[in-house]
Amino acid sequence: MPPPDMMFCAQQISIPPELPDILKQFTKAAIRTQPSDVLQWSAAYFSALARGDPLPVKERLEMPVATQKTDTGLTPGLLKILHKQLGPKGNVTKAELEDRWRDLSLPKEQLDSLLGLGNFGTSIEWIKVFALGCSALSGTIISALKHACEILTEDPEGGAARIPFDTFVTLYTYLAQLDGDVPQEHIDSFLHSLEEPVAKQNGVIQVSNFYSSRVCLTEF
């Protein structure tokens, strides 16, 4: 360690050439994501960067939802981050899920509530946690499905929000059966009513398809 009074000039300091861009991208990501615990999020960011994993970064700045009845902690942008990190795994452990949840400074009580609703074991199907997360954002099945389409779609923002019909069936069936108040015949009738528009769209479904379905879903 140099003596306290030792001075350095600019010529003596070597700055790694990649450092400015790393710091620039980190700053932009922090501004976009607006983490409530910057240190926790920063540790997760650089750990993911070093491993080559999906970064805990929102695609765009997310404005507060004024119409949201309660502050759930979870937002569409944060749920999308979690899906990018955990979706490719299919099944995850509780420890993995808790780690990613904590990285985003989300309330542990909310995760415990979601896991309790799903009655999960040691191996957790991420798509089911994702479905419950969409439900937590809205409160109704149809709104949860709208969130799911908007989060999962590869369409540009403001577009049709299309997703594979198989994925939609999985999400809807799980939430409807978990609800307990949706009769199986209603589930079957609703999905059947979507087969024609889905067939015309090469196996994908968009938000307008189930909002205009002949079978009313808005009461559930």
Side-chain angles (χ1 to χ4, degrees):
M1 178 179 294
D5 57 349
M6 182 174 287
M7 302 294 291
F8 290 95
C9 63
Q11 290 77 10
Q12 291 177 292
I13 301 174
S14 176
I15 299 176
E18 65 272 19
L19 181 60
D21 187 59
I22 289 175
L23 294 179
K24 179 182 177 181
Q25 295 305 319
F26 165 74
T27 302
K28 290 168 64 177
I31 293 171
R32 251 192 344 264
T33 307
Q34 296 286 303
S36 58
D37 186 332
V38 177
L39 289 179
Q40 176 72 38
W41 177 83
S42 299
Y45 176 93
F46 285 111
S47 293
L49 186 65
R51 295 192 303 264
D53 291 343
L55 299 174
V57 178
K58 291 181 182 178
E59 293 181 355
R60 60 190 62 84
L61 183 64
E62 197 172 26
M63 302 306 292
V65 181
T67 56
Q68 192 168 323
K69 292 182 179 179
T70 58
D71 181 13
T72 63
L74 194 63
T75 67
L78 294 175
L79 186 54
K80 189 165 189 174
I81 290 175
L82 290 168
H83 182 70
K84 284 184 175 181
Q85 293 177 319
L86 301 173
K89 296 176 179 289
N91 285 15
V92 299
T93 66
K94 184 179 179 181
E96 286 179 296
L97 183 51
E98 287 177 335
D99 285 345
R100 300 292 81 77
W101 196 268
R102 185 171 54 252
D103 289 344
L104 299 175
S105 302
L106 288 166
K108 184 177 183 300
E109 297 77 12
Q110 186 181 24
L111 177 59
D112 291 341
S113 176
L114 295 181
L115 294 180
L117 283 172
N119 194 28
F120 297 105
T122 54
S123 182
I124 300 171
E125 287 186 69
W126 165 251
I127 195 65
K128 292 184 177 179
V129 179
F130 174 79
L132 293 172
C134 290
S135 183
L137 294 173
S138 53
T140 66
I141 295 177
I142 193 168
S143 296
L145 294 172
K146 180 176 182 291
H147 279 300
C149 287
E150 292 171 345
I151 291 170
L152 297 177
T153 189
E154 295 183 2
D155 292 335
E157 186 178 9
R162 297 167 296 179
I163 65 171
F165 187 54
D166 288 348
T167 302
F168 179 88
V169 170
T170 297
L171 294 168
Y172 168 66
T173 303
Y174 177 68
L175 289 176
Q177 291 178 341
L178 192 65
D179 181 272
D181 291 330
V182 185
Q184 185 61 45
E185 55 266 29
H186 180 92
I187 296 174
D188 296 339
S189 179
F190 174 62
L191 293 176
H192 178 71
S193 74
L194 298 173
E195 290 177 358
E196 184 177 343
V198 167
K200 292 178 180 178
Q201 294 165 178
N202 299 316
V204 299
I205 188 170
Q206 60 192 52
V207 173
S208 60
N209 294 145
F210 56 86
Y211 265 91
S212 60
S213 169
R214 296 190 303 272
V215 181
C216 179
L217 184 66
T218 55
E219 60 188 286
F220 297 107

